[in-house]
């Protein structure tokens, strides 16, 4: 085997090269995910959409800190490419496993499979999710991914529940993609409700009662539960709370434990995860209230209409309460009146309040080596695009006048040394951080970047909503950033430093750029968020808004951390199979891929 010879070569030279080996047809992956497109009954409606292992959400995956796991992803669709992304986990050690099409890998062609190698670093225990990174597929093609603690978690709880929030649209994924990229834009409609663990009663008009049902989250009295909330949503900011269960204690945000922080309601944007501790009622309290069921009420925020949906927190009656004294709520209908009065959006929700549980090596202002301002703005010219510092990047490369996406994934271009896509650091520095030729944001290992996201009123040539502002969940691949919070108006370092006084930023991977106002004038700065990032993990990483519609409309950026020497750890001959669309590392019915292992012993 080439790899054995290579390992020996490395050993003899004591060279700093990665040892690799390959797997063949006897290889057994740790988990198998199959992506298909099917017509399903969900929330009482029929919807043709993308599924993982036939369900919405897909199965929960549980992995351990410090381990290497192999997940085989089959693309069972016949007409669409796909990928899988492991949201919140940096695939630093296995560079082709991040699941970003046209950035870190060629997408998996129809009727092919790809083996993802995930290295789960220590100190990453927490709540994550996996999702397709192609088009609108992840509206339904996603599932929870839990990294379990090696030892006892720092908080005590009796049990845990995963609560995944998704949205329900009634158009097909392809319809949505085509409508939002049409010229002129064709409206795709607002979400018509949230799915809680895949369940809801649709407001689109129920035709199948058997699936029009509320999710039930079962608990026992007198216990402490860790609730893991995952916002696997598409376009709607979400506000939610439990009926007569106040004082949720936030203990984790995006895979990092926090000091406990009490809140009565949650707000979440797509891609965010939080764990909270919920103390359940005692037998006495249940008897007093006369109920074993309580609503979880979920509402849209920051959209033109408010959708309201429910799930049930249901107590198992381990108290043996007299049957006449307690009752259940129906799972096949909504309450006639909203049980909770959820407030309007709290701009800056939990900002400057969350604190890390353990010191996290926050870089001081003087350690910052470079600042990059991403001006986030919508541009309308019949078609709609989002521009970040004038870059409009989408894997929906329909029309080159809109998007700057290359024809080849950047990581592949790096390996094949296609100069057109090799980022030029100096050119980028001279151009506000983005290399004008490759449209990437290069950074050197060891840099400490301050990234400012600046909301700017939209420009319209077609006279549609000029000055429009939206709220965006911004997500970074390739490592967590220190979240510096945000504020209204134009960013200034004085305003930011003043807000930071006496606070301890937490490490996050998805935080909200709020709009603070619904609209302003075109080109006026309104609302900012800032991050600090230690550039540590070499690779090709995306930083993007996590609203799926906005991603398709170009609200994505590609960053290249490290130079070719840092990124290309494995010699080209070992990765040849990654370098062409449908190349040797993509298996199919007749071909078993020989796959390089980037990890030792994996
Ligand atoms: Cu969950 Cu690039 O995203
Ligand atoms: Cu957005």
């Amino acid at each position: 085997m080439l790899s054995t010879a290579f390992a020996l070569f490395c050993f003899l030279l004591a060279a700093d090269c990665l040892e690799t080996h390959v797997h063949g047809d006897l290889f057994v992956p740790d988990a198998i995910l199959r992506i298909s497109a099917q017509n399903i009954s969900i929330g009482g409606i029929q919807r043709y959409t993308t599924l993982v292992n036939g369900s919405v959400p897909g199965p929960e995956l549980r992995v351990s800190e410090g381990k290497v796991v192999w997940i085989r992803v089959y693309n069972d669709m016949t007409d669409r490419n796909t990928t899988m992304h492991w949201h919140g986990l940096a695939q630093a050690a296995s560079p082709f496993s991040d699941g970003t099409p046209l950035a870190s890998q060629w997408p998996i062609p129809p009727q092919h499979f790809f083996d993802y190698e995930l290295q789960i670093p220590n100190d990453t225990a927490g709540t994550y999710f996996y999702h397709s990174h192609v088009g609108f597929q992840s509206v339904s093609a996603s599932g929870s991914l839990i990294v379990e603690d090696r030892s006892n978690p720092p908080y005590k709880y009796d049990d845990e529940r995963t609560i995944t929030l998704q949205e329900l649209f009634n158009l097909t994924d392809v319809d949505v993609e085509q409508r939002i990229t049409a010229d002129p834009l064709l409206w795709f409609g607002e979400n018509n409700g949230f799915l809680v663990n895949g369940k809801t009663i649709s407001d689109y008009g129920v035709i199948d009662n058997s699936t029009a049902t509320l999710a039930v989250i079962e608990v026992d009295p007198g216990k402490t539960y860790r609730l893991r909330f995952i916002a696997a949503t598409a376009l709607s900011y979400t506000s939610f709370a439990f009926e007569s269960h106040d004082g949720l204690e936030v203990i984790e945000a995006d895979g990092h434990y926090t000091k406990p922080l009490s809140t009565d309601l949650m707000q979440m944007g797509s891609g965010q995860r939080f764990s909270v501790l919920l103390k359940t009622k005692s037998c006495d309290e249940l008897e007093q209230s006369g109920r074993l069921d309580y609503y979880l009420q979920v509402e849209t925020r920051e959209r033109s209409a408010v959708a309201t949906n429910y799930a049930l927190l249901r107590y198992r009656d381990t108290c043996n309460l007299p049957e006449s004294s307690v009752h259940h709520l129906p799972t096949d209908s909504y309450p006639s009146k909203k049980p909770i009065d959820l407030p309007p959006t709290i701009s800056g929700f939990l900002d400057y309040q969350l604190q890390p549980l353990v010191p996290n090596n926050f870089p001081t202002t003087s350690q910052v080596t470079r600042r990059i301002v991403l001006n986030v703005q919508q541009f309308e010219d019949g078609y709609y695009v989002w521009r970040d510092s004038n870059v409009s990047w989408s894997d929906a490369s329909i029309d080159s006048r809109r998007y700057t996406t290359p024809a080849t994934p950047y990581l592949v271009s790096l390996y094949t040394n296609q100069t057109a896509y090799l980022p030029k650091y100096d050119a980028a520095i001279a151009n506000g951080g983005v290399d004008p030729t490759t449209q990437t944001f290069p950074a050197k290992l060891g840099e400490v970047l301050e990234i400012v996201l600046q909301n700017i009123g939209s420009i319209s040539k077609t006279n549609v909503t000029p000055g429009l502002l939206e709220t965006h969940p911004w997500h970074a691949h390739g490592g967590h950033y220190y979240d510096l919070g945000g504020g209204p108006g134009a960013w200034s370092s004085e305003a930011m430093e003043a807000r930071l006084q006496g606070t301890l930023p937490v490490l996050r991977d998805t935080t909200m750029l709020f709009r603070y106002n619904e609209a302003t004038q075109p080109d006026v700065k309104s609302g900012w968020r800032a991050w600090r990032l230690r550039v540590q993990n070499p690779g090709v990483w995306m930083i993007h808004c996590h609203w799926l519609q906005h991603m398709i409309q170009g609200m994505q950026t590609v960053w290249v951390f490290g130079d070719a020497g840092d990124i290309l750890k494995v010699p080209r001959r070992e990765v040849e199979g990654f370098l062409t669309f449908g190349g040797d590392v993509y298996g199919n019915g007749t071909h078993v891929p020989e796959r390089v292992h980037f990890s030792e012993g994996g």
Side-chain angles (χ1 to χ4, degrees):
M1 278 279 122
L2 260 182
S3 51
T4 323
F6 176 66
L8 189 65
F9 170 78
C10 288
F11 177 76
L12 289 174
L13 290 181
D16 173 28
C17 42
L18 197 75
E19 186 177 330
T20 62
H21 60 283
V22 295
H23 74 235
D25 48 359
L26 295 179
F27 172 76
V28 182
D30 299 290
I32 290 177
L33 299 176
R34 304 200 78 112
I35 305 189
S36 63
Q38 285 171 41
N39 212 5
I40 50 159
S41 173
I42 186 161
I45 66 165
Q46 287 288 324
R47 168 152 161 66
Y48 182 83
T49 191
T50 316
L51 307 177
V52 183
N53 292 10
S55 67
V56 181
E60 177 159 291
L61 298 179
R62 298 190 81 96
V63 299
S64 306
E65 281 184 295
K67 290 275 160 60
V68 176
V69 280
W70 284 85
I71 303 178
R72 178 164 289 183
V73 176
Y74 284 88
N75 180 0
D76 288 334
M77 297 183 286
T78 53
D79 56 350
R80 304 210 67 196
N81 296 329
T82 197
T83 61
M84 200 58 92
H85 170 59
W86 321 94
H87 180 110
L89 292 172
Q91 295 311 321
S94 29
F96 291 101
S97 279
D98 198 40
T100 46
L102 297 179
S104 66
Q105 73 166 121
W106 288 108
I108 311 170
Q111 307 284 310
H112 282 68
F113 62 87
F114 182 78
D115 291 334
Y116 284 92
E117 177 183 24
L118 310 188
Q119 311 211 17
I120 317 294
N122 287 325
D123 304 315
T124 52
T127 309
Y128 300 81
F129 69 120
Y130 61 83
H131 62 79
S132 159
H133 215 287
V134 173
F136 202 60
Q137 292 173 7
S138 71
V139 68
S140 50
S142 68
S144 51
L145 172 61
I146 309 299
V147 177
E148 290 175 336
D149 295 77
R150 256 169 311 159
S151 43
N152 287 335
Y155 288 97
K156 279 206 183 338
Y157 44 89
D158 297 297
D159 207 347
E160 60 174 72
R161 300 284 181 266
T162 302
I163 301 175
T164 301
L165 301 169
Q166 294 164 292
E167 280 165 86
L168 187 62
F169 290 83
N170 62 354
L171 295 173
T172 66
D173 302 350
V174 171
D175 266 342
V176 171
E177 290 162 17
Q178 286 176 346
R179 283 167 166 263
I180 48 180
T181 52
D183 182 3
L185 176 103
L186 289 169
W187 187 233
F188 52 87
E190 293 293 324
N191 101 356
N192 218 330
F194 292 98
L195 297 163
V196 179
N197 293 340
K199 299 208 155 108
T200 193
I201 300 173
S202 168
D203 296 331
Y204 287 116
V206 168
I207 55 164
D208 178 3
N209 283 314
S210 71
T211 61
T213 173
L214 303 185
V216 172
I217 302 148
E218 259 198 336
V219 292
D220 287 339
K223 294 251 153 69
T224 301
Y225 287 86
R226 175 179 187 168
L227 305 181
R228 298 175 181 269
F229 293 118
I230 300 170
T233 43
L235 184 64
S236 304
Y237 196 47
T238 313
S239 176
F240 57 94
F242 289 101
E243 188 188 11
S244 69
H245 288 73
D246 292 347
L248 304 170
E249 298 247 290
V250 178
I251 58 161
E252 180 219 335
D254 296 352
H256 285 277
Y257 286 108
T258 64
K259 292 200 169 140
L261 179 68
S262 178
T263 178
D264 293 342
L265 67 94
M266 292 299 297
Q267 286 183 178
M268 287 175 76
S270 178
Q272 298 190 306
R273 291 94 58 216
F274 288 101
S275 284
V276 305
L277 295 181
L278 168 88
K279 285 202 170 45
T280 57
K281 293 182 185 295
S282 65
C283 291
D284 282 352
E285 289 170 318
L286 288 177
E287 188 162 19
Q288 262 165 36
S289 91
R291 279 165 54 185
L292 293 171
D293 288 344
Y294 300 85
Y295 285 109
L296 166 63
Q297 182 176 326
V298 188
E299 292 186 1
T300 34
R301 289 288 178 273
E302 305 294 283
R303 302 297 311 165
S304 53
V306 174
T308 307
N309 292 87
Y310 300 92
L312 288 180
L313 183 71
R314 171 163 287 177
Y315 282 79
R316 282 189 284 238
D317 183 9
T318 54
C319 319
N320 286 316
L321 297 167
E323 236 174 72
S324 55
S325 70
V326 281
H327 71 275
H328 281 295
L329 295 170
T331 54
D332 60 354
S333 63
Y334 281 164
S336 49
K337 172 173 170 295
K338 285 188 187 186
I340 307 171
D341 193 15
L342 286 167
T345 304
I346 301 165
S347 293
F349 180 69
L350 302 188
D351 288 357
Y352 306 105
Q353 297 174 49
L354 281 176
Q355 291 184 27
L357 184 61
V358 292
N360 63 11
N361 195 23
F362 173 60
T364 60
T365 313
S366 62
Q367 287 178 296
V368 173
T369 55
R370 186 150 65 96
R371 175 180 300 136
I372 297 168
V373 179
L374 285 183
N375 288 313
V376 173
Q377 188 174 28
Q378 193 177 49
F379 183 88
E380 302 167 4
D381 187 9
Y383 59 91
Y384 282 50
V385 292
W386 287 95
R387 291 177 175 170
D388 313 310
S389 294
N390 282 324
V391 174
S392 195
W393 197 101
S394 169
D395 62 73
S397 279
I398 289 170
D399 180 338
S400 57
R401 98 198 130 108
R402 291 185 233 178
Y403 305 123
T404 46
T405 318
T408 308
Y410 290 99
L411 186 57
V412 169
S413 299
L414 283 170
Y415 262 108
T416 52
N417 201 25
Q418 289 182 53
T419 38
Y421 294 118
L422 301 178
K424 285 160 218 66
Y425 186 81
D426 294 331
I429 298 289
N431 187 44
V434 57
D435 169 15
T437 318
T438 62
Q439 307 284 341
T440 55
F441 294 75
K444 294 190 169 149
L445 299 188
E447 281 193 87
V448 179
L449 303 181
E450 195 165 271
I451 298 176
V452 175
L453 301 160
Q454 177 71 64
N455 239 340
I456 298 189
S458 69
I459 297 179
S460 174
K461 286 193 177 173
T462 50
N463 226 0
V464 189
T465 357
L468 179 87
L469 294 165
E470 290 193 37
T471 290
H472 311 276
W474 272 86
H475 169 56
H477 293 222
H480 286 70
Y481 52 78
Y482 299 88
D483 182 46
L484 307 182
W491 174 88
S492 74
S493 97
E494 298 72 39
M496 183 180 78
E497 294 293 339
R499 282 169 176 254
L500 272 177
Q501 279 308 310
T503 69
L504 290 171
V506 288
L507 282 161
R508 298 291 301 272
D509 58 57
T510 315
T511 50
M512 300 303 302
L513 173 60
F514 288 98
R515 58 180 174 174
Y516 297 88
N517 294 298
E518 289 190 11
T520 177
Q521 294 305 307
D523 279 331
V524 170
K525 295 179 177 172
S526 184
W528 56 271
R529 180 149 213 112
W531 302 342
R532 261 174 214 163
L533 188 80
R534 292 184 185 277
V535 179
Q536 282 163 330
N537 295 327
V540 177
W541 309 117
M542 300 207 65
I543 295 182
H544 62 85
C545 169
H546 214 273
W547 298 142
L548 304 183
Q549 280 86 340
H550 292 186
M551 288 172 71
I552 296 165
Q553 288 175 320
M555 202 174 194
Q556 308 192 69
T557 58
V558 179
W559 298 61
V560 180
F561 288 177
D563 54 28
D566 301 319
I567 298 171
L568 310 179
K569 285 283 190 209
V570 171
R572 171 162 176 179
R573 65 172 182 275
E574 302 229 4
V575 297
E576 209 58 59
F578 292 94
L579 304 183
T580 48
F581 178 62
D584 186 53
V585 297
Y586 297 85
N588 61 25
T590 54
H591 168 68
V592 181
E594 283 213 336
R595 180 73 160 75
V596 171
H597 289 217
F598 287 83
S599 51
E600 286 133 46

